[in-house]
Amino acid sequence: MRWNEFAEWGRKVSDWAVKYHEGLRDRPVRAQTAPGAIADALPAAPPDTAEPMQQIFADFESIVMPGITHWQHPRFFAYFPANAAPASVLAEYLVSTIAPQCMLWQTSPAATEMETVMLDWLRQSVGLPEGFAGVIQDSASSATLAAVLTMREKALGWDGNTSGLAGQTPLRIYCSREVHTSIDRAIWVSGIGEANLRRIPVTGENRGMDAAALDAAIREDVAAGFRPAGIIACIGGTGVGAMDDLTAVMPVAKAHGLYVHVDAAWAGAAMICPEFRHYWAGVEEADSVVFNPHKWLGAQFDCSAHFIRSPDDLVRTLAIQPEYLKTHGAEGIINYSEWSVPLGRRFRALKIWFLIRAYGLDGLRRMIRNHVAWSQALAERLRAEPDFEIVTEPVLSLFSFRYRRDGADPDALNLALVTAINNDGRIYLTQTRVDGDLVIRFQAGQFDATEDDVKLAGDVILEVARAMETPNA
Ligand SMILES: *Cc1c(COP(=O)(O)O)cnc(C)c1O
């Protein structure tokens, strides 16, 4: 395969992509394959001789596609969305064609300068004040790791990278019980250790961190000889959308001089709508904020927007400059590889540029407002059914519910229901636990979803539940 054949295959792939999207509603959302089936269909050893593209493409359709869970299916209501709007797909196509390595300004000035401007567009779009600088990280997990490393270095007087953690006063980091597992992993990888991550109880309907308990925990740790290093706040927890009250958390952080990182990976996209910004009131005071345009907004994976108040602290934590990476003769430039853990970087800003221009902020706001309204209507419909209960109220477009049946163990019944729904294939839902109980989550967020898709989700939930046999408890 050479570039002279590319146009023909490029056209075939484009036609295939359009047909794929048009036909998605006829496919089961979640892959219906058994474990091992796809691996068994692949040759165990690589070919020695070149194969024709025709054959490779045919195998892609027959072997790979049955094993795909369709995240771009308009009736994908599981986890959180991972949208890939067509305009952003085009940008990625261009990027994979040019394939620049954007680790330094001089290794593609357009990528660096586009990133600076696009992150400022995003900052304005979600209503963060001036004074936050932005960088694109490959994932929210990486942004959180970068923030935790910064907390560590600041707390250790910039000595952690040099001396390691052995012999240092043990650090402490604080978060609620509702945070994502990427927080645990950042704590492990940074060497701080899970035992030094204090999980503060949550209070109220929003399941936010109890600020008084946070303050008490910090005081207790200081008295016991630990060194508090930072707080990780959660805006839109992954389970049921927990929201810390930043107006209560920030004063505690200020009083103890602690660095605050806000994880708004999913919910941050909704902040392009001013009416939802009450959820993260107080965020202006944070040191670091991450949200994922690669979830709800429509820039496909990977694209995490990481805003920091003091890039100097981040760069002091992560920058390393051997001679071969130095840029001579250009003052005032940014080398974004000094702002993140990996050195190599893709040109990710282009898809933000295409996305925002192709749909406009108004178009993206309309999408998010629709998802929120449709999801809330579905919650009301389920609430009105005598054998369903809403367990956690809608937070933006996310709520959780439970099905009840006399004589059935509730956890087994709801696990059987979510399994039966996903085997049916018309919609896709996932489960979580709330205070120990198994519940079913619903979130609307797919780029092409319509009101009818969400209504059909309600039909499927009720129909499958009532057709289901009672599982053995
Ligand atoms: C999805 C999610 C993450 C992880 O995001 P990645 O970009 O996949 O690392 C972290 N926190 C929250 C709240 C999330 O919803």
Side-chain angles (χ1 to χ4, degrees):
M1 170 93 187
R2 297 284 166 205
W3 284 103
N4 61 2
E5 295 167 72
F6 193 86
E8 185 196 337
W9 281 101
R11 271 191 297 274
K12 279 189 185 150
V13 168
S14 300
D15 291 344
W16 184 93
V18 173
K19 281 211 193 75
Y20 169 70
H21 278 268
E22 283 171 357
L24 269 171
R25 285 190 179 82
D26 300 326
R27 294 184 189 244
V29 191
R30 194 208 56 198
Q32 306 282 330
T33 46
I38 309 297
D40 287 347
L42 297 170
D48 280 319
T49 42
E51 297 182 60
M53 204 32 133
Q54 197 87 33
Q55 188 58 49
I56 299 171
F57 197 78
D59 288 347
F60 160 74
E61 289 198 277
S62 67
I63 299 174
V64 177
M65 287 313 292
I68 294 294
T69 291
H70 303 288
W71 284 74
Q72 306 315 318
H73 197 300
R75 294 197 296 264
F76 182 102
F77 302 117
Y79 307 100
F80 282 136
N83 284 326
S88 114
V89 172
L90 278 182
E92 280 290 62
Y93 191 0
L94 294 171
V95 167
S96 35
T97 303
I98 313 163
Q101 237 299 351
C102 308
M103 54 194 182
L104 308 172
W105 174 84
Q106 69 175 356
T107 65
S108 274
T112 295
E113 296 182 17
M114 173 78 75
E115 185 159 334
T116 306
V117 176
M118 284 308 106
L119 269 283
D120 201 60
W121 280 20
L122 287 175
R123 176 192 65 74
Q124 297 170 49
S125 305
V126 298
L128 287 175
E130 278 178 29
F132 277 101
V135 56
I136 305 178
Q137 306 279 7
D138 56 8
S139 62
S141 304
S142 294
T144 297
L145 175 59
V148 168
L149 292 171
T150 307
M151 291 176 191
R152 185 190 78 184
E153 288 307 295
K154 276 179 78 94
L156 293 177
W158 311 101
D159 184 43
N161 284 337
T162 310
S163 302
L165 267 65
Q168 309 267 19
T169 308
L171 303 180
R172 283 277 158 115
I173 307 267
Y174 307 84
C175 66
S176 86
R177 301 189 170 281
E178 298 282 333
V179 295
H180 187 263
T181 50
S182 55
I183 280 74
D184 300 67
R185 294 210 271 186
I187 297 296
W188 302 350
V189 174
S190 64
I192 291 172
E194 186 85 37
N196 292 312
L197 179 65
R198 282 200 70 167
R199 288 173 203 272
I200 307 301
V202 297
T203 62
E205 171 120 301
N206 283 351
R207 297 178 167 263
M209 215 186 307
D210 178 342
L214 171 67
D215 187 56
I218 297 168
R219 287 174 195 282
E220 190 182 286
D221 283 347
V222 171
F226 293 101
R227 186 174 297 158
I231 299 169
I232 298 170
C234 166
I235 294 295
T238 312
V240 292
M243 295 277 182
D244 286 335
D245 176 359
L246 296 176
T247 62
V249 169
M250 288 310 311
V252 178
K254 286 256 147 87
H256 296 280
L258 295 185
Y259 193 94
V260 177
H261 171 64
V262 176
D263 177 8
W266 160 68
M271 304 309 164
I272 64 170
C273 306
E275 71 272 28
F276 299 134
R277 290 187 193 150
H278 64 90
Y279 276 119
W280 74 358
V283 70
E284 340 44 82
E285 305 283 323
D287 298 286
S288 164
V289 181
V290 65
F291 96 89
N292 283 349
H294 71 227
K295 280 185 168 160
W296 206 349
L297 208 60
Q300 77 264 48
F301 193 82
D302 50 352
C303 188
S304 286
H306 185 194
F307 299 99
I308 38 260
R309 197 161 266 295
S310 167
D312 288 351
D313 288 346
L314 182 62
V315 169
R316 192 161 175 196
T317 301
L318 294 176
I320 185 159
Q321 290 183 334
E323 182 57 37
Y324 58 80
L325 291 179
K326 285 193 178 138
T327 304
H328 295 287
E331 290 306 312
I333 48 131
I334 294 176
N335 293 320
Y336 277 120
S337 58
E338 297 178 349
W339 297 41
S340 55
V341 176
L343 171 67
R345 328 185 77 242
R346 304 177 60 246
F347 182 6
R348 304 189 192 90
L350 193 71
K351 60 192 167 194
I352 301 175
W353 198 47
F354 274 47
L355 178 84
I356 296 180
R357 296 181 65 194
Y359 306 99
L361 283 176
D362 270 341
L364 298 172
R365 287 187 196 110
R366 198 176 317 121
M367 170 187 74
I368 284 176
R369 286 174 178 142
N370 280 339
H371 292 157
V372 171
W374 299 337
S375 173
Q376 295 188 352
L378 178 61
E380 291 319 310
R381 178 174 169 196
L382 292 180
R383 198 197 305 277
E385 298 290 332
D387 46 357
F388 279 83
E389 66 175 309
I390 301 304
V391 179
T392 55
E393 292 298 322
V395 174
L396 301 169
S397 62
L398 170 68
F399 68 92
S400 69
F401 65 93
R402 233 155 121 81
Y403 177 47
R404 278 188 305 246
R405 190 185 278 183
D406 286 345
D409 170 68
D411 282 8
L413 182 70
N414 283 281
L415 193 56
L417 176 57
V418 76
T419 306
I421 286 170
N422 295 335
N423 288 342
D424 171 273
R426 283 174 290 171
I427 65 171
Y428 184 23
L429 303 178
T430 42
Q431 75 288 341
T432 189
R433 283 194 185 266
V434 173
D435 301 329
D437 294 335
L438 191 127
V439 301
I440 302 178
R441 289 168 86 254
F442 180 91
Q443 69 75 28
Q446 208 284 323
F447 207 80
D448 299 317
T450 63
E451 188 166 15
D452 282 346
D453 289 312
V454 179
K455 282 190 179 143
L456 185 75
D459 298 345
V460 170
I461 292 167
L462 298 176
E463 181 194 314
V464 172
R466 287 161 188 169
M468 197 175 61
E469 292 184 10
T470 305
N472 293 325

